Amino acid sequence: MAFEGIGASVKRREDGRFLAGRGHYVDDMNRPGQLYAVIRRSDRPHARLRGIDTAAAMAAPGVVAVYTGADIAADGLGGIPCGWQIHNKDGSPMAEPMHPVLAIGKVRHVGDPIAVVIAETKAQAKDAAELLAIDFEDLPGVADLRAAAAGGAPLVHDDVAGNVCYDWHIGDKDAVDAAFARAKHVAKLDLVNNRLIPNAMEPRAALGECDVAGNYTLSTTSQNPHVIRLLMGAFVLHIPEHKLRVIAPDVGGGFGSKIYHYAEEAIVTWAAGKLRRPVKWTAERSESFMSDAHGRDHVSHAEMAVDESGRFLALRVSTLANMGAYLSTFAPSVPTYLYATLLAGVYKTPAIYAEVKAIFTNTVPVDAYRGAGRPEAAFLLERLVDAVAHDTGIDRIALRRANFIPADAYPYQTPVALQYDSGNHEVTLAEALKTADYAGFPARRAEAARRGKLRGIGISTYLEACGIAPSQVAGALGARAGLYEVANIRVHPTGSVTVFTGTHSHGQGHETTMAQLVADQLGLPLDQIEIVHGDTGQIPFGMGTYGSRSLAVGGSAMVKAMDKIIAKGKRIAAHLMEAAVEDIEFKDGAFRVAGTDKSKALAEISLAAYIPHNYPIEELEPGLEETAFYDPKNFTYPGGCHVCEVEIDPETGVTKVVNFVAVDDVGRVINPMIVEGQVQGGVAQGIGQALLEGAAYDANGQLLSGSFMDYTMPRADNLPNITVGTEITLCTHNPLGSKGCGEVGAIGSPPAVINAVVDALKEYGVRHLDMPATAEKIWSIIQANRPKMAAE
Amino acid sequence: MYDFAYRKPASVADAVKLLATEPEAKAIAGGQTFIPVLKQRLNKPSSVVDLAGLGLSGISVSGNALTIGAMTTHAAVARSAEVKKAIPGLAMLASWIGDNQVRHRGTIGGSLANNDPSACYPAAVLALGAVVKTNKRAIKADDFFQGMFTTALEADEIITAVEFPLPVETSAYEKFRQPASRYAMVGVFVAKGPAGVRVAVTGAGQNGVFRVPEMEAALAKSWSPDAIAAIKVSPEGLNSDIHGSAVYRAHLITVVARRAVAAAA
Ligand SMILES: Cc1cc2nc3c(=O)[nH]c(=O)nc-3n(C[C@H](O)[C@H](O)[C@H](O)COP(=O)(O)OP(=O)(O)OC[C@H]3O[C@@H](n4cnc5c(N)ncnc54)[C@H](O)[C@@H]3O)c2cc1C
């Protein structure tokens, strides 16, 4: 048998069904008597709803029901809840305006759902949705963060003054002011972190069902079915948990956008109850563009105080963060506890102060998107460090090295709440520079210059935080959810194993990685292990998958559950082999009496557990099934170094990424191939953000990049060969030592790319450039600075 | 999409009759433009008349013309040995349209009838002085394109073939892609053939494809990239959108044209 345990690059077990078209997605599900829901959405950024005439739609062929916000209100349903509460500087809670399931009184963004038409066929529902006569009174809208935050902007919510959701801060302002007062240099930078549209390959879909006994089932494209059951059941529909089952089957990518509870989930479930027929809704791609939560969208000003030798003395940051028109589930946490707490990065900056204003605009709600806050922090910091190097003339690598938190300083308490447990930034830096042949860059630059190209190299030495925890601390910071994870391990009578995990796989390959973990620990072949996830009817209450938590938190829960299995197995084995429990060892799938050749395989123990004829029944319950809930003591802190090399065509401004190296510290690696794939995918998204992607709105809030014709996703030919390496330090507080690898690629890469672009353009006096660094933007900079160059 | 009747006539005459008698009938070729339009409910035809069974695909060279049937796919043009030999720029152009799937469905006739201002074929047809053959007549390229999404075609007129005069001494197409759609943001076809030296630009103009007489004159004197390097095109009348301003597009026309000439040299 080939090695399949921890460290083996086992091919993904789930890929067979995906590649053969046998995946089972929500839209593949069809129920007898099923109806189709089509949502009529606002095509206006901001308008008063003076009236909705549903008569013609109701009378259209095949239409079974038409519902508007008034119907939802009449049934006493709640609004879409927000899962995180932030407090203002003065201690008061954030503004939390009503987020109706279907618009009431006003629409606030293009895509805001107004009404649902439910019909026998999708085509009939679409036809009828066009017949809804909606009387809009257009209102001035505002999409741009700075404009919305400025005085006198249109109000997205009449009762939210100045469009400010919250005005929050962290850190020691006085200490920072004092450090700035004595600084030799102060480097200042204004940055924009561009708004992204997630575009998971599978659009969102939801299928609601209600049986004769009033048991509801929602099948949905979710990263965390239990969270949806809790939020929707308790806050929106008032369905108790034992009457509501939420299934998230195969899900084709999420990147964060499928964490949140969306209106359509509530609509189909509620309508299925009213109509007593299954109701399905599937987003079209253009609906996804205007209804899936967007990502990023920050405008920041940052300042670093530096002493004469280049040591960072203090960091001051002020950020505006776009919330969109309503608060999506975890939106408030992203620019606060997932962003500002990361501003120390890998540096021992002794004093940090950050203030963040979250702003409502007439745009799609913004929430966590691959990296969630940490990419914004890494981009700001790694750009600012390059700006310090630029301003002081200190080499950017020497500057980083001089300010690194040294490996022997771990655990390290940052001035912004987090305590990092482990890391070695020197090692990832050195390895990345070597792999990228950093030393050979000047020759490559000269060679490119001979071809008329501008070549640049950029690095980022970043750190991020995964597996958000512990629950108590998160609760104190405003989380309205627990952040533990759960695993249930069921050893069957003949020794095969089903693992029920509260995490959810939507591209990450859990069915492989987690099976490898269990195989390794229980000494079983992979094919004896099944991973079950995504069904609240089968799995214990778990928190799902986001923030690269599944292995570090969910895998740790599995280890804890296996520990219990092994402990119980030892007691059974001791009984069967007439030995003392202390003398039983478990190794390679067998319980042995130490120092003898007596042994029993796991399957013999499980058989004895379920057929307890010869069994210590007085002391032990029969069966071999254990559950563990694991609440981590801390975040995990992956980090690393990304090196990007670009070539710019000065005639057109087109940037080509010619080389990319990522050396990451993700803690213990279970499946190196899957880790490499995760990093590659993340880097692809990071390059996308840096060079190509950007949601475009007009000033009023009309979405200009509403399809793939205008929203530039990265494609294979936009990407270089990405070399991925790992140099690990173990996480010190979870039993696996794993940290997380799902987001590192998207966090470390954007600053590396932009640092490379700025480096390529340094002869043009460029010090900073906002993302996406499009061809025209670069060409314009080159044009504007040509005369300067000629004059010099 | 809205409901419509699907019709599959067996002859050009039948197809034309259907289009003529039913005012809301529309022809479909490869469907690569039309089907997305239908799916977005931007068009509500009574019938969709499929041109696939009319024998309109094929490539032939006879005497002084290369003829491409209207239903010939981009993929067929791209890989055709005759096209590569007679007008290499045309094969190059076809090979860069869309993606593999699009190239195996989309047709030259559909592309020309649609006359998307950022489509590629109009640049070749205009630069090569081709003739668009329909069931009724032969329309010179100079008369065919009449502004964005507008052509000389009448409602009951279908393109049957496109005739490119030979011999073409040299030709090339260079395309600066709109980054998201990968259509031409600026596409330039340069050719020296029976129609003379021509430079046709697609993607940039608000009214679709256009020629650049100054460049043509310069190239007629000296067929070299340098001959046009200093010729600037005015941004007036050019497109401006989130992907590129008129000024940027104007600049790109010179760069792309120069590169096309270099590729054709
Ligand atoms: C993803 C994607 C990328 C693309 N990229 C490019 C690109 O880079 N460059 C480019 O040039 N194009 C591009 N296209 C468009 C593609 O080339 C289309 O195939 C073409 O524009 C239309 O050809 P069709 O055969 O598909 O026509 P259809 O979509 O079937 O028809 C288009 C229109 O032409 C009419 N029509 C079709 N044939 C005839 C005929 N013989 N006579 C009269 N009227 C007719 C139809 O009634 C319809 O109105 C792209 C398309 C897609 C989907």
Side-chain angles (χ1 to χ4, degrees):
Chain A
M1 189 179 79
F3 174 55
E4 298 176 327
I6 292 178
S9 283
V10 175
K11 285 202 177 140
R12 302 197 339 161
R13 304 202 298 170
E14 44 273 80
D15 283 350
R17 74 174 185 278
F18 295 148
L19 293 172
R22 300 227 168 83
H24 193 57
Y25 299 89
V26 173
D27 194 54
D28 295 326
M29 299 179 165
N30 290 298
R31 305 291 188 231
Q34 174 178 299
L35 297 167
Y36 294 82
V38 164
I39 312 275
R40 175 73 181 266
R41 296 178 187 280
S42 176
D43 55 359
R44 331 268 165 128
H46 198 192
R48 212 172 297 288
L49 287 173
R50 279 195 297 226
I52 307 173
D53 185 349
T54 61
M58 263 317 293
V63 172
V64 174
V66 178
Y67 300 121
T68 67
D71 299 295
I72 302 264
D75 268 19
L77 271 55
I80 305 284
C82 178
W84 201 297
Q85 185 181 49
I86 294 295
H87 287 83
N88 293 305
K89 286 174 181 167
D90 65 8
S92 60
M94 67 184 189
E96 203 172 341
M98 170 72 171
H99 182 178
V101 173
L102 291 170
I104 294 175
K106 240 174 133 179
V107 287
R108 295 185 174 84
H109 68 89
V110 168
D112 207 358
I114 298 170
V116 59
V117 176
I118 298 170
E120 299 289 345
T121 71
K122 186 160 185 176
Q124 288 171 331
K126 284 194 88 164
D127 285 344
E130 287 181 2
L131 300 176
L132 288 167
I134 300 170
D135 186 6
F136 291 103
E137 177 193 335
D138 283 317
L139 298 169
V142 62
D144 179 72
L145 253 181
R146 274 168 289 205
L155 289 186
V156 179
H157 298 274
D158 298 340
D159 53 349
V160 179
N163 293 316
V164 178
C165 172
Y166 57 74
D167 182 5
W168 172 91
H169 66 165
I170 191 170
D172 186 340
K173 185 170 188 301
D174 294 339
V176 167
D177 289 347
F180 270 85
R182 65 187 154 83
K184 178 84 193 318
H185 304 281
V186 173
K188 301 183 180 182
L189 201 58
D190 288 294
L191 323 87
V192 173
N193 204 291
N194 45 329
R195 171 187 275 252
L196 303 178
I197 301 179
N199 289 313
M201 195 182 289
E202 179 206 21
R204 286 188 299 115
L207 167 62
E209 296 171 77
C210 181
D211 71 12
V212 285
N215 296 306
Y216 287 85
T217 302
L218 167 68
S219 300
T220 181
T221 48
S222 176
Q223 301 179 211
N224 30 230
H226 271 108
V227 175
I228 304 306
R229 191 184 68 173
L230 177 64
L231 294 177
M232 182 178 82
F235 297 98
V236 187
L237 301 183
H238 313 305
I239 302 171
E241 272 120 322
H242 68 294
K243 291 291 206 185
L244 176 59
R245 176 176 174 190
V246 177
I247 299 172
D250 283 332
V251 172
F255 312 109
S257 72
K258 291 172 181 167
I259 296 172
Y260 323 116
H261 175 40
Y262 287 96
E264 296 84 2
E265 295 171 320
I267 291 169
V268 297
T269 310
W270 170 70
K274 281 180 94 71
L275 302 170
R276 295 288 155 147
R277 287 177 69 180
V279 178
K280 183 158 92 176
W281 167 81
T282 305
E284 299 192 350
R285 182 60 66 181
S286 38
E287 267 185 295
S288 303
F289 270 92
M290 58 172 99
S291 71
D292 292 3
H294 292 180
R296 318 276 193 260
D297 206 345
H298 284 193
V299 174
S300 295
H301 176 76
E303 302 182 349
M304 184 75 90
V306 183
D307 75 7
E308 52 291 332
S309 65
R311 269 190 317 133
F312 302 159
L313 300 175
L315 171 63
R316 183 150 60 198
V317 174
S318 160
T319 291
L320 292 177
N322 202 337
M323 294 286 103
Y326 304 100
L327 290 179
S328 174
T329 311
F330 290 114
S333 67
V334 177
T336 49
Y337 293 107
L338 296 175
Y339 162 70
T341 52
L342 269 301
L343 286 170
V346 294
Y347 309 110
K348 52 188 187 207
T349 315
I352 298 175
Y353 176 72
E355 47 190 350
V356 179
K357 250 189 205 177
I359 303 295
F360 289 110
T361 59
N362 293 109
T363 63
V364 174
V366 179
D367 207 327
Y369 168 69
R370 202 169 193 169
R374 293 101 79 205
E376 295 90 317
F379 183 69
L380 178 141
L381 195 57
E382 290 304 297
R383 281 272 53 247
L384 186 59
V385 170
D386 264 27
V388 171
H390 174 273
D391 296 359
T392 61
I394 301 172
D395 172 72
R396 54 192 163 161
I397 289 171
L399 182 66
R400 283 177 166 83
R401 285 196 159 123
N403 286 285
F404 274 166
I405 301 162
D408 61 9
Y410 283 94
Y412 177 81
Q413 177 63 51
T414 75
V416 273
L418 299 181
Q419 194 191 72
Y420 303 158
D421 64 333
S422 65
N424 190 334
H425 314 301
E426 183 52 48
V427 168
T428 45
L429 171 68
E431 184 60 25
L433 294 179
K434 192 171 88 194
T435 309
D437 185 22
Y438 189 81
F441 176 73
R444 296 195 293 281
R445 184 183 193 116
E447 185 277 330
R450 287 195 288 278
R451 285 183 283 114
K453 297 287 197 288
L454 308 170
R455 193 155 171 136
I457 192 164
I459 72 165
S460 82
T461 48
Y462 74 96
L463 177 142
E464 61 127 337
C466 296
I468 175 170
S471 295
Q472 276 192 4
V473 173
L477 301 180
R480 290 163 168 165
L483 293 155
Y484 65 85
E485 197 42 83
V486 63
N488 170 277
I489 305 223
R490 183 178 296 166
V491 184
H492 300 292
T494 62
S496 67
V497 172
T498 303
V499 180
F500 300 87
T501 172
T503 66
H504 185 274
S505 187
H506 33 278
Q508 295 87 343
H510 292 178
E511 289 170 45
T512 306
T513 304
M514 290 177 169
Q516 283 181 258
L517 168 62
V518 173
D520 192 281
Q521 305 280 292
L522 294 185
L524 291 173
L526 269 192
D527 63 7
Q528 293 297 299
I529 299 159
E530 193 69 21
I531 306 292
V532 176
H533 59 88
D535 180 356
T536 65
Q538 294 192 68
I539 60 174
F541 194 112
M543 296 308 298
T545 287
Y546 45 83
S548 305
R549 69 192 299 275
S550 297
L551 185 63
V553 190
S556 293
M558 285 176 196
V559 172
K560 298 271 182 194
M562 284 187 283
D563 287 347
K564 294 188 192 180
I565 295 276
I566 292 166
K568 184 171 181 182
K570 281 183 178 173
R571 294 178 67 182
I572 302 168
H575 174 89
L576 292 176
M577 294 187 281
E578 296 176 339
V581 175
E582 305 75 55
D583 291 338
I584 306 291
E585 300 169 345
F586 180 71
K587 204 166 163 261
D588 300 332
F591 294 87
R592 288 168 221 281
V593 182
T596 74
D597 58 359
K598 283 207 257 179
S599 101
K600 293 264 178 211
L602 178 63
E604 294 174 87
I605 299 301
S606 56
L607 198 65
Y610 288 99
I611 306 176
H613 296 167
N614 177 14
Y615 194 80
I617 202 80
E618 299 292 328
E619 308 155 27
L620 269 187
E621 291 173 13
L624 198 53
E625 170 167 348
E626 297 289 350
T627 299
F629 286 80
Y630 171 74
D631 204 87
K633 294 191 191 71
N634 193 352
F635 285 87
T636 64
Y637 299 97
C641 177
H642 290 189
V643 184
C644 177
E645 210 161 316
V646 300
E647 259 184 34
I648 293 172
D649 174 357
E651 262 188 346
T652 59
V654 170
T655 300
K656 192 170 163 55
V657 180
V658 288
N659 194 25
F660 199 99
V661 171
V663 176
D664 300 298
D665 175 3
V666 298
R668 185 177 322 279
V669 171
I670 307 290
N671 183 318
M673 180 199 73
I674 288 182
V675 168
E676 182 172 356
Q678 289 287 304
V679 174
Q680 296 236 3
V683 169
Q685 277 170 308
I687 291 174
Q689 166 160 31
L691 297 179
L692 305 165
E693 295 185 51
Y697 278 98
D698 75 6
N700 217 30
Q702 193 53 246
L703 180 60
L704 303 176
S705 57
S707 80
F708 291 132
M709 296 297 275
D710 287 306
Y711 186 85
T712 312
M713 292 296 282
R715 300 186 202 179
D717 64 353
N718 295 124
L719 303 171
N721 198 19
I722 300 164
T723 307
V724 175
T726 48
E727 287 294 331
I728 69 157
T729 61
L730 293 177
C731 168
T732 61
H733 58 79
N734 71 34
L736 271 171
S738 294
K739 297 185 176 180
C741 68
E743 295 160 292
V744 291
I747 294 167
S749 58
V753 176
I754 296 298
N755 286 347
V757 170
V758 170
D759 184 52
L761 295 173
K762 67 180 172 194
E763 278 146 31
Y764 293 85
V766 174
R767 181 173 171 272
H768 175 68
L769 183 76
D770 280 321
M771 302 185 289
T774 60
E776 180 169 16
K777 202 183 273 180
I778 291 175
W779 175 77
S780 303
I781 288 171
I782 290 174
Q783 291 310 105
N785 292 295
R786 252 214 178 105
K788 224 182 282 169
M789 284 192 63
E792 271 165 17
Chain B
M1 42 183 93
Y2 297 105
D3 264 355
F4 53 79
Y6 171 77
R7 304 193 194 273
K8 192 158 187 197
S11 71
V12 171
D14 287 349
V16 168
K17 202 193 290 165
L18 283 169
L19 291 169
T21 48
E22 251 187 71
E24 301 297 321
K26 284 276 286 178
I28 190 165
Q32 295 305 291
T33 295
F34 194 40
I35 288 177
V37 164
L38 291 176
K39 284 169 84 171
Q40 291 174 76
R41 299 188 157 215
L42 297 173
N43 201 301
K44 197 175 180 177
S46 53
S47 297
V48 167
V49 180
D50 194 340
L51 308 183
L54 313 182
L56 295 181
S57 70
I59 298 167
S60 61
V61 178
S62 67
N64 53 5
L66 168 78
T67 304
I68 301 180
M71 290 296 289
T72 309
T73 63
H74 310 327
V77 173
R79 67 168 178 259
S80 156
E82 284 118 315
V83 178
K84 282 185 198 163
K85 183 154 169 271
I87 315 176
L90 192 58
M92 202 186 293
L93 175 149
S95 75
W96 291 342
I97 294 177
D99 50 45
N100 215 20
Q101 287 83 345
V102 168
R103 289 193 292 276
H104 276 86
R105 292 291 310 168
T107 67
I108 187 169
S111 179
L112 295 175
N114 194 48
N115 195 19
D116 187 311
S118 50
C120 298
Y121 267 128
V125 168
L126 187 60
L128 292 162
V131 174
V132 178
K133 298 270 184 86
T134 76
N135 56 306
K136 298 187 184 172
R137 54 187 170 144
I139 310 170
K140 287 205 298 216
D142 306 87
D143 304 325
F144 183 80
F145 303 107
Q146 302 196 341
M148 86 156 104
F149 298 108
T150 314
T151 67
L153 290 176
E154 289 159 13
D156 59 345
E157 190 168 18
I158 61 175
I159 301 175
T160 52
V162 187
E163 207 176 83
F164 295 90
L166 296 180
V168 173
E169 201 177 307
T170 182
S171 69
Y173 181 63
E174 192 62 41
K175 178 180 182 182
F176 188 93
R177 291 163 178 80
Q178 193 257 53
S181 73
R182 304 262 176 119
Y183 274 69
M185 191 151 109
V186 171
V188 180
F189 201 101
V190 296
K192 192 195 256 186
V197 170
R198 285 195 178 193
V199 176
V201 178
T202 188
Q206 281 169 8
N207 291 316
V209 65
F210 63 89
R211 289 168 57 187
V212 188
E214 266 183 285
M215 288 190 182
E216 293 176 354
L219 288 172
K221 275 205 220 115
S222 153
W223 182 269
S224 78
D226 289 345
I228 55 171
I231 297 177
K232 291 206 185 324
V233 174
S234 162
E236 207 152 305
L238 298 190
N239 279 321
S240 201
D241 56 30
I242 59 173
H243 304 288
S245 65
V247 170
Y248 183 50
R249 280 180 158 93
H251 162 77
L252 286 177
I253 290 172
T254 305
V255 174
V256 174
R258 227 186 52 223
R259 291 180 182 181
V261 174

